[in-house]
Amino acid sequence: MDQSRHQESRFSGTDGARLTLLDSACTAGDLDEVELLRLALEQAVAAAGALGGVAHLGGPATGKLQLAALGGLPQSVARPWEALELDGPAAPARAARERRPVWVASRRPDDTPSADGAPEVLAGVGAAGALALPLPGANGPAGTLALLTAEAPDADRLRFLTRLAEVTGEALTKADTPAGGLLPWWTGSGSRLREAMAGVRVATWEWDLVTGELLLDDAALETIAGVAGLYEWDSRVETWMQRVHPDDLAGVLSAIKHAIAAHEVYSVEYRVRALDGRVGWVELRGHTTYAPDGTPLRMTGTGWDTTATRMTEQVVTRVLGHMPDAFLIVDPADWRVLYANSQAQLLGSEPVALVGRAPWEAVAGLEEGELKAHFEEAVRSDRPLTAVVQVGETWQRLRLVVVEPYLVVYVADVTAEVDAERAAAERARRISALTDALAQALTTQDVVDAVAAQILPPFGANGVLVHAMTDDRLRLVGAVGYPPDLLERLRHQDAGALLADRAPRFLSSAAELVHRYPALAGLADADGALTWAMLPLVASGRHVGSCLLAFDRPQPFSNDNGGLLIALSGLVAQALERARLYDSEHNRARQLQQHLLPSLLPELPALSAAARYRPAGDHCEVGGDWYDTIPLSAERVALVIGDVMGHGLREAITMSRLRTAVSTLSTLDHPPEEMLAHLNDIAGELGDDQYVTCLYAVYDPTTGVCTLASAGHPPPAVVPPGGRPYFVDLEVGPPLGTAQMPYRSTQITLPEGSLLVLYTDGLVCLAGSDPGGGLAGLAGVLATAAPGQHGAGARGPGDDAEWLQNLCDTVTQALPRPAGHPSDDAAILAARVHRLPAGDIASWDLPFEPSSAGTARKLIRGQLTAWGLPDLIMPTELIVSELIGNTVRHATGPVGLRLIRGTTLTCEVYDGSQSAPRVRHAALMDESGRGLQLVGAMAHRWGTRYTSSGSKTLWTEQLIP
């Protein structure tokens, strides 16, 4: 054997492993001849990559080769080589005769067959040919191995296979003959006969079909004596047939007839009855031999006593019948149920209805495709498989186990488990949905809405009350399903009474509710509920509120539902705490926004105005949009609107500083272009990361002229009486603080009663969208809403305030926040302009000489007398005398005088100089320097404004009594 191992060391890798395996099996000495041949054949087929193979025993000593084993081939293909003459043309015969490996190519269909009818190569498998290898014995070949291959083997394969045949031949000389004799080749290694041989003695029999003689060996005689009680045997087949159980006789005869006629293996198991009434079982397998003309001559076979096996099966059947789970045996060939125990009714069908049919054919509602796919996967994988299928309203777990040649199915009812898993999944889904909803909730109302949407429907609740803790008391912050009058009575609750401890309370009756919470007694009659759940809301270890759920039907409040409600209440508590903090911050932000914008626009003779501010969203911080109307001298009015891009405290501070700057600079009466230049300087000092736009307009009611300038701001809209809206074509300068460039103003004349609308881009969403589309939308809304002003007739300046407020509301509601800019706030300032009546304006040109002061006093006395303002004659004369005197003394001509009667009496003196008057603080003995001090004392306010033509105007305002 050492020499053998040395020879095998020439082969490495898989080839070496195969030879080592075969050598080890032979050395162990526990294989008989057939088992050794089968092992060698398996290794040869695998090594050669062959389609299959056969092994024969015999040689020159017998002159024949007898088929002993198959590998990978069906019986029908191997049958032509069942018995070969040594001098025949078949590949195994040639190898044994010539004592060398032989390769024979497959014959073509038109080749002439050999004389004895035995093919050189087995047909029907598509092989290119057959390689036959002799198995060396002591006195010549002891047998052969033949492989059907797809191609001729190369030299390396041939050398290895030759060595494998040598090892097999050496081992055959030492192997034992199988117990009970050599088994027929057609009893495959997986047959029931081979499995039974380990524990029983196999009987051999031969039946002469011509004479009816039935010959038995010693093992067969023992079997007949033990099972059928035949202690004396007369070799007649009729004697044996008399012992066949009457119920099985017809089947036995039919099986014999079919096997002979179809040239198939005879295999049958049946009952035999002894003379004393005992019943036993035998299993017989046989093969028929035929004459050249096809006449059946004899049947040879084996048999054994299966009584013990059958008795065991009966015991197993009784055990399976009492199993708590269903048990099925299924035939993988057609998925028919071969056996079903009594518990198979779990599948919704009686066991008797299952047997002989596929499960999906016998059970209504069982999906064929799903179950069949599980069956096929289990058979294909050859490992246990578990699947859960629905049968009606139940769920069954199938454990599929392959027990050759059958598929065993264990069935267990797992409806409760599936329901529990689904309940757990539903709980997880609800918690996830509520978590998502609460994560998006900002205000306490958002929290209440999330509870109403995510808790009430799944639990079948019809009402909820949510209270939040405020100063050791519970305050109602939201409710669903209750009338307003009841909510008013429940608005405030004692925290100690409702939250005595942190444990939830599940109340199964109205009496229990009233007993536990007397303050909620009104709920027992008002909401029609039958059960309630009081859930304390605890966050960060302290009470933040309570949540009361009401149900209009009895609730069991199981551990699952109760536990889920408690878990959800924790999420609600955390969200409520966040929402309360947000509400507080949001309220402060709203108050700040309100204080940063004008609380009330003044009523002026020149125009009526209204404004609206629309936050970027319900939950946004303070914004940077602002607006204002500022009274100027001579009843003129400045209208300003601006936009600091962004949201937050920083933007609000910037907006407030700019608005204050506008209000302060307006006292200097700068024209719009100069006002924007000053604001540009201020914005530049605030930092270069701010983007600010502004529109500044000054309306003069004495002429109807409106002067406008824009710093990156959209143009205002004008709606003339009876006309279509249009947008002012003005020159737009750079946004404030971005560049040092001059701003240009534009003048337009507005007819009496015209509507002037200023707005920020959040209203029309110019940024990132089509400007024309946004402006067209605003124009369309104004065209629809503005006609309400027409026909106003002689209404006074303050009569339009309410109408303008409604107009602003209409515009902000009709132009919703665009989807692309949901976080942009908006402001709108709408003004209806008026002209001052000609009778309220008086103006005169005066000569540039000292006597003009007297002339002016005379004109003033006459005009104020005509206006019915005698109390203002003397102070006005003093003011005019001082102003004209200073003009003649310090300025140049021409000189003009104008009186305007409005909310105040305005007195204006203009000249051709731009030198600014300066208030002096005269000493006690000085004779001059007190004139402007006198003007300041007599007037409500006074000032100077300059024109683009190089002149200036000194103006004073006096309150009209």
Side-chain angles (χ1 to χ4, degrees), residues 883 917-919 932 935-937 939-944 954-957:
L883 294 180
R918 181 171 60 88
V919 178
L932 291 181
V935 170
H940 173 62
R941 64 174 186 151
W942 71 279
T944 305
L954 296 172
W955 56 268
T956 65
E957 290 182 354

Side-chain angles (χ1 to χ4, degrees), residues 545-562:
S546 66
C547 177
L548 179 69
L549 299 176
F551 304 85
D552 58 1
R553 65 188 64 182
Q555 292 291 324
F557 293 120
S558 62
N559 291 336
D560 289 340
N561 284 342

Side-chain angles (χ1 to χ4, degrees), residues 465-477 485-498 518-520 546:
L465 292 174
V466 179
H467 285 81
M469 185 75 75
T470 304
D471 299 329
D472 296 328
R473 286 186 60 81
L474 291 173
R475 178 177 59 85
L476 184 67
V477 295
D485 57 338
L486 177 61
L487 296 180
E488 192 61 34
R489 299 199 304 270
L490 301 175
R491 188 160 299 280
H492 297 281
Q493 295 292 323
D494 180 24
L498 263 61
L520 303 179
S546 66

Side-chain angles (χ1 to χ4, degrees), residues 633-644:
S633 62
E635 299 298 338
R636 294 173 307 122
V637 180
L639 297 95
V640 61
I641 191 166
D643 184 1
V644 181

Side-chain angles (χ1 to χ4, degrees), residues 211-237:
T211 65
E213 181 181 23
L214 180 60
L215 301 178
L216 305 177
D217 66 359
D218 293 341
L221 292 175
E222 291 182 10
T223 300
I224 291 175
V227 178
L230 291 173
Y231 298 99
E232 294 183 3
W233 178 241
D234 59 5
S235 301
R236 296 176 60 250
V237 71

Side-chain angles (χ1 to χ4, degrees), residues 636-671:
R636 294 173 307 122
V637 180
L639 297 95
V640 61
I641 191 166
D643 184 1
V644 181
M645 298 300 176
H647 307 282
L649 188 60
R650 185 166 178 263
E651 286 73 14
I653 292 174
T654 300
M655 176 265 283
S656 178
R657 294 174 68 177
L658 291 175
R659 179 171 175 258
T660 302
V662 171
S663 179
T664 301
L665 291 173
S666 66
T667 60
L668 301 178
D669 242 336
H670 291 302

Side-chain angles (χ1 to χ4, degrees), residues 409-702:
V409 182
Y410 301 89
V411 184
D413 190 341
V414 292
T415 304
E417 297 178 22
V418 172
D419 290 345
E421 292 175 359
R422 287 187 166 185
E426 179 64 16
R427 287 195 300 271
R429 188 198 64 79
R430 292 179 185 176
I431 291 177
S432 177
L434 181 61
T435 301
D436 293 343
L438 293 177
Q440 301 176 21
L442 292 178
T443 67
T444 53
Q445 187 58 49
D446 292 339
V447 174
V448 175
D449 293 342
V451 171
Q454 302 298 333
I455 295 183
L456 264 61
F459 285 93
N462 65 322
V464 62
L465 292 174
V466 179
H467 285 81
M469 185 75 75
T470 304
D471 299 329
D472 296 328
R473 286 186 60 81
L474 291 173
R475 178 177 59 85
L476 184 67
V477 295
V480 173
Y482 293 96
D485 57 338
L486 177 61
L487 296 180
E488 192 61 34
R489 299 199 304 270
L490 301 175
R491 188 160 299 280
H492 297 281
Q493 295 292 323
D494 180 24
L498 263 61
L499 303 176
D501 53 38
R502 296 183 180 180
R505 299 289 182 183
F506 300 107
L507 313 168
S508 58
S509 66
E512 188 176 358
L513 173 70
V514 174
H515 173 73
R516 178 69 64 178
Y517 306 110
L520 303 179
L523 296 177
D525 301 324
D527 59 0
L530 298 178
T531 54
W532 295 262
M534 172 61 75
L535 305 174
L537 302 180
V538 180
S540 302
R542 62 187 182 87
H543 284 107
V544 298
S546 66
C547 177
L548 179 69
L549 299 176
F551 304 85
D552 58 1
R553 65 188 64 182
Q555 292 291 324
F557 293 120
S558 62
N559 291 336
D560 289 340
N561 284 342
L564 179 57
L565 285 174
I566 294 173
L568 296 180
S569 68
L571 298 176
V572 174
Q574 296 176 14
L576 183 62
E577 182 72 356
R578 294 195 305 268
R580 291 178 60 204
L581 294 175
Y582 174 82
D583 286 344
S584 177
E585 293 296 327
H586 186 62
N587 290 335
R588 282 196 288 268
R590 184 161 36 187
Q591 293 174 4
L592 175 61
Q593 188 77 62
Q594 292 174 351
H595 285 85
L596 291 177
L597 296 175
S599 58
L600 183 66
L601 297 179
E603 294 186 6
L604 303 170
L607 55 80
S608 301
R612 286 291 183 272
Y613 173 78
R614 185 179 70 185
D618 295 336
H619 311 305
C620 288
E621 302 177 81
V622 291
D625 289 12
W626 92 92
Y627 55 83
D628 211 346
T629 58
I630 305 172
L632 302 177
S633 62
E635 299 298 338
R636 294 173 307 122
V637 180
L639 297 95
V640 61
I641 191 166
D643 184 1
V644 181
M645 298 300 176
H647 307 282
L649 188 60
R650 185 166 178 263
E651 286 73 14
I653 292 174
T654 300
M655 176 265 283
S656 178
R657 294 174 68 177
L658 291 175
R659 179 171 175 258
T660 302
V662 171
S663 179
T664 301
L665 291 173
S666 66
T667 60
L668 301 178
D669 242 336
H670 291 302
E673 66 274 16
E674 292 186 19
M675 174 65 77
L676 292 184
H678 287 296
L679 290 177
N680 187 46
D681 294 337
I682 296 173
E685 296 175 358
L686 299 179
D688 57 1
D689 57 345
Q690 297 279 4
Y691 187 87
V692 184
T693 65
C694 182
L695 177 68
Y696 188 82
V698 175
Y699 173 67
D700 187 348
T702 63

Side-chain angles (χ1 to χ4, degrees), residues 699-718:
Y699 173 67
D700 187 348
T702 63
T703 61
V705 173
C706 183
T707 306
L708 311 96
S710 171
H713 206 82
V718 176

